[in-house]
Every structure is written in C-alpha cells, then in structure tokens.
Amino acid sequence: MLDIKWIRENPQALAAALEKRGQDKADAQSSVEAMLAADEARRQHLTELQEKQARQKAISKEIGQAMGKGDQALADKLKAEVGALKTFVQEGEAEERKLDERLRDLLAGIPNVPLDDVPEGADESDNVEIRKVGEARRPNWAKEHFELGEALGMMDFERAAKLSGARFTVLSGQLARLERALGQFMLDLHTTEHGYTEVQPPLLVRDEALFGTGQLPKFAEDLFNAGEHHWLIPTAEVPLTNLVREEILDTEKLPLRFTALTPCFRSEAGSAGRDTRGMLRQHQFYKVELVSITDADSSLAEHERMTECAETVLKKLEIPFRTVVLCSGDMGFGARKTYDIEAWLPGQKAYREISSCSVCGDFQARRMNARYRKAGDPSTGSGRQTHFVHTLNGSGVAVGRALIAVMENYQNEDGSITVPEVLRPYMGGVEKIGG
C-alpha cells in the first residue's frame, strides 16, 4: 500500500507510474483523483469532527460558569448545544470509519511504484536480459519432461486427473524421490550457506495475511478459498512475510531471512490453454521460498543478494539459465523491481521461468503495519520513532520446475536421466534413473 501523504504530494508521479505499468492515461489520472478526493473528504470531516469535540469540552466549563453566576437560561441553552454536539460526534465517528474504509479500499487497489531503473514495457517481450550462465544444449533428440516421465512410468497425468482434475500430477518411484531430493538440497543450501532460517509455516492463512502481502482483495480469483476466512497459500511468501505483521523490530535484528519448503496452491485463473501439457503450470506444486525483512537502506542490496542465492541453486545443479529484469508491464502488483531467472529446457528449446525475486519497498509493510526502530533515533520508550520495514521475496527455487529442468537437461538419448552430482547424496547414491 502506498503512503497517502506521498500521493498527496506527488500525484503526477503516481499517475505516471500507473501509466508505466500499462494503465490508460485517463484511467490513471482518474484513479489518482479519486484517491485525492477521498483523502480530502476524510481530512475535512476529521477537522470538523475535532472542532466539534473541542467545542464539546469547552462548553462543559461554560455551563459551570453560567451555573455559578445563576444564569439558568444560558446554562440550559449550553446543555442543549451539548446534546446536539454529542449526536453529531457519535454520527461523525461512524462517518469517519466509512471514510477511512473508502480511502483504504482505494489505496488497496493501487499497485506499487516501479523503481526508476525498471525498463518500460508492456509484457514479457519487453523484459531485458542482464546475464546468461551456462551453455544451452540443443540435441535434436531431446524430449520434453512429460514425454520422459510418462515413458519411465513415473509421471502420470491420467490418474491425477481422475483424482483431482486437470493440472495435477502423480509422481512415483525415483522421480518422486528426485523431486523430494531437490527440495531438501535447496533448503540445506539456503540454511547452511546463505544464512536463511528454515520455517515450517501454516498452509492455511486468514484474509488479513493475504491482504498484507497484496493477494487480497484484488487477486482473490487466483486463490483457493478454504472457507471461514481461510485460504490455501499460493506461496510461502504469505506466511513468511506476515511473521512480522503488526510488530516493531529493533534495527539491530535486521535483516531477517526466512526460507520454507511448502506446497503452493493456485487456481491459475486466466491461464486456459497455456502449458496444458506437463508440470509447468499446476494447481499444486512445491516451492522453496526466500523472504527477507530489511531496513530501508539495505533492501536494494538485499535484492541482488537474494537473486544470487537463487541463481546458486542452478549453478550447483549445472543447469543453464539466464536472468532478466522484468519490464514495468510484466511486474507483479506489489513489486518495485523484479528479476526472473529462466532455466533452459532443451525439450522446449526455450528458457522458462524458474524463480522470481522481487523487492517491494515498504508496500507490504504498510498493509501489515510492520515497523522497525531505526538505529540512532532518540530513545523515549514506546514513543521512539518507527519506520516501515522493507520486504523482499523470491523463489529459491520452484521445485517442480527444477525437476523439469533436471529431467530435460540431464536426459540421455535412450530416455534415461542422469542424476546431478549434488543430488546423489539425497538419492541414496543413485546415479541414473531408467535406461
């Protein structure tokens, strides 16, 4: 959520940012004007309400003075005014809540402002490659992961459809173990070498948690509702980021770095016809998530660090990849800047996203009311000045897509799959699947 004070002082900058994100110029201007109007109405009402409350307090003294002078007529008049003021204040406080809610709803629907160095563009075709690692193999006999998995008898989409419908997969045997190995390898890497704290969070979260990270209210259709104000998590970003919800942290404890291996659940609304074969776009998948909580001065450097941590996974697996910076029109709702890491898939002869690392500034923190006390601020107990934390999130990486990348990059012409060396300890020493 953006700071209404900043919007008030920089309305044209926000309108330009909304245009940069792909919003029509007239719509962008209308959105800003609606927020400014809601803010002005709220502020005017608060001023009037405060004036009436102040008058209400002053009259109490005037009534006492009138009674002391024996002026009963004036005292009665003042008492009548108190009654009218009391009614106004009660109704005014209810109106204040409505105006607060109106402004909050408008602010909740506005995306984050892109950083200045984010390239302008409409969609993924305008993303900018910043580095490429490894040589992309292009054997003419390369198959896609679902062809390999089905031929091995370890990847079954038909049985999954009988159980759950489309966009689900049943893995078995050594492929199931390989997926588990990938998740354990990533967790061990991030906790032992990259300094992240492992967390096992709930898979069900409340409305407030999803509001905090920006999925609600705007993207409810992308989620699975579990009833009674609970939802299945679309990513562990939601519970991990909300660990600091409504807290005030000491700056000395920052940065906080969390990681988790969890199932993720997404409705894939709007993706009809895209990646219908295989495991690329599933309703349920595993992912290792990375979340960082920093102060304002450290978030951009942390973004580079987090992206490097995710890239290390692919380097150790020896999977070719490239890293791109997303253009303004392709970024997520809460991001100020995003790097996508795309793994090379020989079967598709294309790079496909396997990780997305975003810096959100204080956008999510304002929605969660997560703050920190800055070093050097005067210490006056609970009155010490506080600032909103900055949040970052990234895939470290998507386990299902990593399985796809390993299968396609380590496939052999006979249909077998060589197990990457770093995964063999997690596979009980197995060096090859099939063949």
Side-chain angles (χ1 to χ4, degrees), residues 272-377:
R274 297 180 60 192
D275 301 313
T276 55
R277 294 292 306 274
M279 291 179 57
L280 267 168
R281 198 173 296 278
Q282 298 274 279
H283 290 309
Q284 174 186 315
F285 59 92
Y286 283 91
K287 180 157 66 79
V288 172
E289 185 71 6
L290 305 175
V291 162
S292 294
I293 312 295
T294 75
D295 60 22
D297 297 329
S298 306
S299 60
L300 295 184
E302 184 71 11
H303 190 209
E304 302 298 326
R305 181 190 186 277
M306 176 180 285
T307 304
E308 185 178 348
C309 291
E311 290 177 342
T312 300
V313 173
L314 299 183
K315 289 177 181 178
K316 287 185 176 291
L317 289 170
E318 299 185 62
I319 292 173
F321 68 90
R322 68 174 187 172
T323 301
V324 302
V325 58
L326 299 194
C327 71
S328 54
D330 199 31
M331 283 199 312
F333 179 78
R336 298 207 70 193
K337 184 177 181 179
T338 298
Y339 292 123
D340 268 10
I341 303 170
E342 300 176 345
W344 172 253
L345 302 183
Q348 287 198 14
K349 295 181 175 56
Y351 286 96
R352 298 301 301 267
E353 178 200 337
I354 197 169
S355 172
S356 190
C357 298
S358 298
V359 57
C360 301
D362 62 8
F363 186 82
Q364 293 176 324
R366 289 181 181 278
R367 300 168 78 102
M368 299 187 300
N369 193 25
R371 295 168 289 162
Y372 69 97
R373 292 186 178 92
K374 193 171 183 179
D377 282 349

Side-chain angles (χ1 to χ4, degrees), residues 108-122:
I110 298 296
N112 209 346
V113 175
L115 293 174
D116 292 339
D117 62 348
V118 170
E120 192 164 349

Side-chain angles (χ1 to χ4, degrees), residues 120-135:
E120 192 164 349
D123 53 38
E124 61 184 19
S125 63
D126 295 316
N127 296 340
V128 177
E129 181 182 301
I130 56 175
R131 55 182 164 268
K132 187 179 285 184
V133 176
E135 184 178 349

Side-chain angles (χ1 to χ4, degrees), residues 64-81:
Q65 292 170 352
M67 295 292 286
K69 294 177 181 178
D71 192 341
Q72 188 63 45
L74 177 58
D76 290 343
K77 181 181 178 182
L78 291 173
K79 288 178 182 178
E81 186 180 351

Side-chain angles (χ1 to χ4, degrees), residues 172-207:
S172 60
Q174 294 290 16
L175 280 190
R177 185 170 186 177
L178 183 59
E179 184 180 54
R180 174 161 55 92
L182 281 162
Q184 298 306 313
F185 156 69
M186 294 176 205
L187 274 184
D188 286 350
L189 174 66
H190 294 315
T191 55
T192 62
E193 296 187 24
H194 296 155
Y196 287 85
T197 299
E198 183 177 351
V199 177
Q200 289 190 356
L203 303 182
L204 286 171
V205 293
R206 298 167 59 186
D207 298 350

Side-chain angles (χ1 to χ4, degrees), residues 15-314:
L18 295 177
E19 285 184 59
K20 190 175 181 180
R21 276 185 169 270
Q23 196 166 336
D24 176 81
K25 184 174 183 177
D27 289 342
Q29 192 65 40
S30 176
S31 295
V32 175
E33 288 173 358
M35 275 185 293
L36 292 176
D39 176 51
E40 182 61 24
R42 175 182 173 276
R43 293 169 69 202
Q44 286 183 359
H45 178 75
L46 282 176
T47 298
E48 185 178 7
L49 185 59
Q50 289 165 359
E51 288 173 351
K52 298 294 187 184
Q53 289 170 329
R55 176 60 182 156
Q56 196 175 15
K57 290 180 181 178
I59 289 178
S60 298
K61 293 182 180 179
E62 293 178 19
I63 291 175
Q65 292 170 352
M67 295 292 286
K69 294 177 181 178
D71 192 341
Q72 188 63 45
L74 177 58
D76 290 343
K77 181 181 178 182
L78 291 173
K79 288 178 182 178
E81 186 180 351
V82 167
L85 285 171
K86 184 177 180 181
T87 300
F88 178 91
V89 168
Q90 288 175 341
E91 294 175 351
E93 288 173 345
E95 180 65 16
E96 179 188 354
R97 289 191 289 272
K98 289 181 182 178
L99 292 171
D100 283 344
E101 187 176 345
R102 167 66 175 159
L103 181 59
R104 179 183 171 89
D105 288 347
L106 289 171
L107 286 170
I110 298 296
N112 209 346
V113 175
L115 293 174
D116 292 339
D117 62 348
V118 170
E120 192 164 349
D123 53 38
E124 61 184 19
S125 63
D126 295 316
N127 296 340
V128 177
E129 181 182 301
I130 56 175
R131 55 182 164 268
K132 187 179 285 184
V133 176
E135 184 178 349
R137 297 172 58 224
R138 298 174 181 267
N140 56 19
W141 45 263
K143 297 178 180 178
E144 293 198 51
H145 69 282
F146 52 84
E147 298 174 294
L148 294 164
E150 287 178 327
L152 289 167
M154 302 178 190
M155 185 178 287
D156 196 323
F157 300 100
E158 289 187 11
R159 284 192 171 92
K162 290 178 183 178
L163 294 171
S164 306
R167 297 191 187 276
F168 289 92
T169 309
V170 172
L171 294 176
S172 60
Q174 294 290 16
L175 280 190
R177 185 170 186 177
L178 183 59
E179 184 180 54
R180 174 161 55 92
L182 281 162
Q184 298 306 313
F185 156 69
M186 294 176 205
L187 274 184
D188 286 350
L189 174 66
H190 294 315
T191 55
T192 62
E193 296 187 24
H194 296 155
Y196 287 85
T197 299
E198 183 177 351
V199 177
Q200 289 190 356
L203 303 182
L204 286 171
V205 293
R206 298 167 59 186
D207 298 350
E208 295 86 350
L210 285 157
F211 178 85
T213 43
Q215 285 82 10
L216 287 180
K218 197 174 180 68
F219 304 102
E221 68 172 2
D222 296 328
L223 307 170
F224 282 110
N225 189 298
E228 296 298 323
H229 303 290
H230 281 84
W231 307 75
L232 290 170
I233 61 168
T235 164
E237 169 201 347
V238 178
L240 293 182
T241 308
N242 275 276
L243 289 175
V244 298
R245 176 184 187 83
E246 297 175 353
E247 292 193 9
I248 299 177
L249 308 170
D250 287 326
T251 188
E252 294 81 5
K253 295 182 178 180
L254 301 179
L256 298 175
R257 298 184 177 114
F258 304 122
T259 186
L261 168 61
T262 68
C264 304
F265 305 90
R266 299 185 186 177
S267 72
E268 291 296 338
S271 67
R274 297 180 60 192
D275 301 313
T276 55
R277 294 292 306 274
M279 291 179 57
L280 267 168
R281 198 173 296 278
Q282 298 274 279
H283 290 309
Q284 174 186 315
F285 59 92
Y286 283 91
K287 180 157 66 79
V288 172
E289 185 71 6
L290 305 175
V291 162
S292 294
I293 312 295
T294 75
D295 60 22
D297 297 329
S298 306
S299 60
L300 295 184
E302 184 71 11
H303 190 209
E304 302 298 326
R305 181 190 186 277
M306 176 180 285
T307 304
E308 185 178 348
C309 291
E311 290 177 342
T312 300
V313 173
L314 299 183

